[in-house]
Amino acid sequence: MPVVKLFVGSSCPPCAEIKSRVEAGQVEAGGAEIRMVDVETDEGFNEFVKDVIGQNDGELPSAYQDGHQCGLALDDEKGIVVIDCPSTPPSSPAPA
C-alpha cells in the first residue's frame, strides 16, 4: 500500500483543520495510507527538511508520496480532505 506523508505543525492554522479531518477518517487519498508528520518534533523536522525543503518547497500543510508532491485540498461540500498524488511521477525530459 502506498504511503503519503502529510506534514503538519501546531502553529500552522490551516494544518489544524486538515489534521482534524484526517484523524476523523474524513480523507480521500486514492487508497494510500496517510502518515502524519509533526514538523515541530526533531524527527518530523528532519523529515520535512529532507522531503519538502529538499524539493524546494516549504509550505505547511503539504503531502508527499515517494518524494513527489501531492495535491492537498479541503472539500467542504463533502467535508473531507482530498490528497491527490500523481499516479506516475513527473519524469525528466529525454536528452536531445
Side-chain angles (χ1 to χ4, degrees), residues 12 15 22 25-26 33-34 42 47 49 51-52 55 58 70-71 87 94:
C12 156
C15 295
V22 170
Q26 299 167 310
E33 177 185 335
I34 308 299
D42 288 340
E47 283 189 63
V49 167
D51 294 343
V52 180
Q55 299 291 328
C70 303
S87 56

Side-chain angles (χ1 to χ4, degrees), residues 1 7-8 22 28 35-36 38 46 58 60 88-89:
M1 171 182 295
F7 293 94
V8 296
V22 170
E28 183 179 297
R35 186 169 79 78
M36 269 195 277
D38 182 349
N46 289 337
L60 284 180
T88 54

Side-chain angles (χ1 to χ4, degrees), residues 6-91:
L6 177 60
F7 293 94
V8 296
S10 60
S11 61
C12 156
C15 295
E17 181 72 20
I18 299 267
K19 186 176 176 181
S20 172
R21 289 187 188 190
V22 170
E23 287 174 341
Q26 299 167 310
V27 60
E28 183 179 297
E33 177 185 335
I34 308 299
R35 186 169 79 78
M36 269 195 277
V37 178
D38 182 349
V39 301
E40 294 176 22
T41 66
D42 288 340
E43 182 181 322
F45 183 74
N46 289 337
E47 283 189 63
F48 183 69
V49 167
K50 181 180 142 232
D51 294 343
V52 180
I53 294 177
Q55 299 291 328
N56 295 320
D57 191 8
E59 287 189 32
L60 284 180
S62 60
Y64 279 78
Q65 181 179 20
D66 297 327
H68 300 283
Q69 187 174 22
C70 303
L72 183 62
L74 287 173
D75 182 333
D76 289 324
E77 189 174 299
K78 293 181 181 178
I80 62 172
V81 174
V82 178
I83 301 174
D84 184 25
C85 297
S87 56
T88 54
S91 59

